[in-house]
Amino acid sequence: MDGERDGQRRVIGLCAQWCGVCREWRAAFDAAAAAHPQDHFEWIDVEDEADLMGDIDIETFPSLLVGRADRVLFFGTVLPKAEMLTRLLASLDADAGPGTPQARALMRRIASRQL
């Protein structure tokens, strides 16, 4: 794991290129990344990264995974609106729930990749 990013909050957009809603939401996701330079944002196409996704099957788009190292702060579907993403990020802190074992494993796999 990259020592510089170990404690940094990671905001992972889990989408698919074929999904029109995801393509439209990408601009809001990128704007949130610009507004939160202290966080690491990453956009992952779940079909292109099937090996990385492991046992997780995303059925509803867009989905979001937020965490630090292997600690999951949020994992689930989000409304594709910029204000919802902003509010979600503001509400999260280090004391959020642990997430599912599959979500923690995915966060570990993402965090261990070379950036």
Side-chain angles (χ1 to χ4, degrees), residues 1 4-5 10 13 16 18 22 26 29 33 41 43 46-47 50-51 58-59 71 81 84 86 91 97-98 113:
M1 221 177 309
E4 189 173 311
R5 296 204 191 272
R10 300 174 72 96
W18 56 262
C22 289
R26 180 71 189 260
F29 184 86
F41 281 69
W43 187 265
V46 300
E47 292 182 346
D51 290 342
I58 304 295
E59 296 180 8
R71 182 163 174 81
K81 298 182 182 293
M84 298 302 289
T86 299
S91 72
R113 292 188 336 176

Side-chain angles (χ1 to χ4, degrees), residues 87-100:
R87 213 173 335 173
L88 173 66
L89 293 175
S91 72
L92 295 176
D93 62 29
D95 296 326
T100 66

